[in-house]
Amino acid sequence: MMEFHKTILTLVLFFIRFSLLIGATSNTKHYIVYVGHHSHPNSEAVIRANHEILASVVGSVEKAQALSLHHYSKSFQGFSAKLTPEQAQLLAENEAVVSVFVSKMKKLDTTHSWDFLAIDSVNQYNHLSMDSKSNIIVGVIDGGVWPESKSFSDKGLGPVPKRFKGECVTGENFTLADCNSCRKIIGARFYYKGFEAEFGALESFGKPFFRSARDSDGHGSHTASTIGGSVVDNVSYFGIAKGTARGGAPSARLAIYKACWFDLCSDADILAALDDVIHDGVDVVSLSLGPDPPQPIYFEDSISVGTFHAFQKGIFVSASAGNSGLPSTASNVAPWIFTVAASTVDREFPTNVYLGNSRVLKGSSINPLKMDGFFSLIDGSAAAAKGIPSENASFCNNNTLDSNLIKGKIVVCTLEAVTDSRREKGLFVQQGGGVGMILIDPVLKDVGFQFVIPATLIGQEAAIELQDYIKTSKNPTAKIGRTKTILHTKPAPEVAAFSSAGPNIISPDIIKPDITGPGVNILAAWSPVAVESTGGRSVDFNIISGTSMSCPHASAIAAIIKSYRPSWSPAAIKSAIMTTATVLDNTKRLIGRDPNGIQATPFDHGSGHINPVAAIDPGLIYDFNSRDIIDFLCSTGASPSQLKNLTGHIIYCQNPPIPSYNFNYPSIGVSSLNGSLSLYRTVTYHGNGSTVYVPCVDSPTGVNVVVYPTKLKFTNAGEKKTFKVKLTPMASSNGSFVFGALTWSNGIHNVRSPIALNVV
């Protein structure tokens, strides 16, 4: 009888415990179970261990597998699952578990790059009157604008600044009401004659366009709204990157100069636009465009020539460095242009691949499409059309795949060249009947592309696992997930793999690019008729990448500084941004470069990653004017006729010329250091009261660097001091540049200049 009662008691206790463990489904919440550091050999082993921990409170491994949602299995161990509070408490009591907590929803910001740059912490700018902030005019030379976008609302803005001389040029679907009645878009012009002269009539392209300043490509609206877009709440790309969209300087006025058609821009049209820009009286001009490498010499390049004139008139010029991704390909490298590279922010868009063997491969894209269920996998090389070699078919180009073999399947494709159109591959797979695409892309695997079908990019490590699964499984299957949005990722920033790099092939003593800024997966306004890059979907906001996206970030920060420091020259603004840039990421390590995270150099990121909070109050600036530029060009061998092409009148150089390395640039470069050399720089003090700056030198490898004097004492704002930097090479750098830095500090401000030396 006693044994019977023990059995009954045991059963009662079991059912009580079981009810506590299982609980009512309505009482469950999403919990994160953090286990901490692990020593398991691989992710699969971690997932097994996670299931065993969860099984201890839900009754079986099978139930654990069903309840678990995420597994953290690489850098640390943990998982998330839908649990009752009682189950969560039992897990928290498990000796293997560090902590258990509810997964809460966080508010997301869409133009997240501005949060990453802490733009709202620029107190001096925030405390300026609206009149001061809205007095700044930014000219955008690009592909036009979609004026109806909420990003171009003029709510809260006063009258157009009287000094603006621009106009609203009407055209197809663009009337006076599209700008003259709007106090945000205060001018609009368009240029097409140069384009048509080179490529024929716009109509011959067979693509949507407007013979006006109206944007049909999306690019122009995107760049303009990144600079000065008004605040727009509750924006996303089909739920991806949901939050608030805004420009960096939302009170700035925008003048639109459409000089690009179908992503192409004629030099003649660009120069015409620059001519109008200077006339109209803008403060900042932004050019997210440039020549293919190699960069033409300044005297034969429309952008260099036109922007020199803009510089002479006190206009700050920001331009993209290019998307070639290789050394010596940086464009827009004239010293009077602010050249901007592209880098990541702390936000990622994972689009993962779920394999039939329960493995998950990390991928990346912008995929709003839901894939219902699993589909068969096939490698493009195994689906070659008749007469096509298997290797050619693996690239998934047009007419290379057998539609009978890929119909209803997910196709695995590879790149033939980095310049391949990734979107086209998805289109060709769709045309053959494929339902999805996995593109092996080790270079741009973190860049969010959009496709007509569910698709994602994976890196080499994931590709090896994927191809092994296809080879060893009788019926390999997979599902491509919808894109998720993850904030506060690390490390960030990293220089983008596609961002063009130095050295400067025109003026190797000038380090280019000058700076790097957010240029990967940036969401901003878009033209709803531009569907080619959005997978055929009409959208008002779009996510794209490129130095075209980083350039307007720099333009916006220049506008902020100009509104706070209206008397500053373009060179002073450039110096403020460059000397306050950071070279550390959010892990406090030196910034790396995608795709492998190798340490970046000044030829990747210039002076570092843009830091608007520090840039508005830099302490010291390196200033120069157009006469200094002429002296610099003379030092590089410019002839009187070349200088005339640039300036419009005959100029004779000093004899001997001032050495190019003495040009008062905010960075220090010597492309041919042969023996000891002394160079000079002059800084201007911008501060209150007396102060003392002392130098700190990070000497390049094999070079001794000494700075004279050892202190710079300032009493009043506006004072200038000249210092000498003596470079003594100890060994050759074997044809490669070596890097260091010089930082002047007064305990409050750190004014940093990168150093790049080629010791011969």
Side-chain angles (χ1 to χ4, degrees), residues 27-39:
N27 194 31
T28 61
K29 294 181 179 179
H30 189 186
Y31 285 89
I32 293 172
V33 182
Y34 175 58
V35 180
H37 177 76
H38 74 81
S39 56

Side-chain angles (χ1 to χ4, degrees), residues 63-75:
K63 288 177 181 175
Q65 290 171 335
L67 288 171
S68 57
L69 299 173
H70 290 292
H71 287 281
Y72 314 115
S73 58
K74 294 182 175 64
S75 302

Side-chain angles (χ1 to χ4, degrees), residues 466-651:
L466 173 65
Q467 291 173 327
D468 183 61
Y469 170 62
I470 292 174
K471 289 176 183 176
T472 57
S473 176
K474 290 182 179 179
N475 180 30
T477 61
K479 180 173 76 170
I480 298 170
R482 276 180 173 172
T483 300
K484 299 176 182 178
T485 305
I486 299 179
L487 289 177
H488 310 306
T489 57
K490 296 181 179 182
E494 287 188 303
V495 179
F498 59 76
S499 187
S500 293
N504 182 340
I505 65 168
I506 306 298
S507 304
D509 286 343
I510 301 294
I511 298 174
K512 288 287 182 170
D514 291 308
I515 206 84
T516 190
V520 178
N521 298 335
I522 305 300
L523 193 147
W526 196 251
S527 166
V529 303
V531 299
E532 194 171 307
S533 64
T534 60
R537 297 174 281 274
S538 177
V539 296
D540 296 321
F541 290 84
N542 191 22
I543 301 170
I544 55 176
S545 302
T547 54
S548 283
M549 283 61 258
S550 54
C551 168
H553 281 84
S555 303
I557 292 167
I560 290 172
I561 297 173
K562 184 70 175 178
S563 65
Y564 185 67
R565 309 271 194 180
S567 65
W568 276 18
S569 69
I573 295 172
K574 170 185 281 208
S575 174
I577 299 174
M578 289 174 65
T579 60
T580 57
T582 178
V583 293
L584 300 178
D585 62 25
N586 57 4
T587 70
K588 304 302 180 184
R589 295 187 177 91
L590 291 172
I591 292 171
R593 180 174 181 122
D594 270 347
N596 302 315
I598 59 173
Q599 185 176 319
T601 75
F603 290 156
D604 297 306
H605 57 48
S607 294
H609 192 262
I610 205 160
N611 180 359
V613 178
I616 204 165
D617 184 22
L620 303 176
I621 61 169
Y622 295 81
D623 210 349
F624 59 84
N625 56 33
S626 54
R627 180 67 242 186
D628 296 320
I629 291 174
I630 296 299
D631 289 339
F632 167 78
L633 294 172
C634 286
S635 73
T636 62
S639 67
S641 62
Q642 286 177 322
L643 292 174
K644 183 180 179 183
N645 286 345
L646 186 64
T647 65
H649 54 273
I650 295 176
I651 292 177

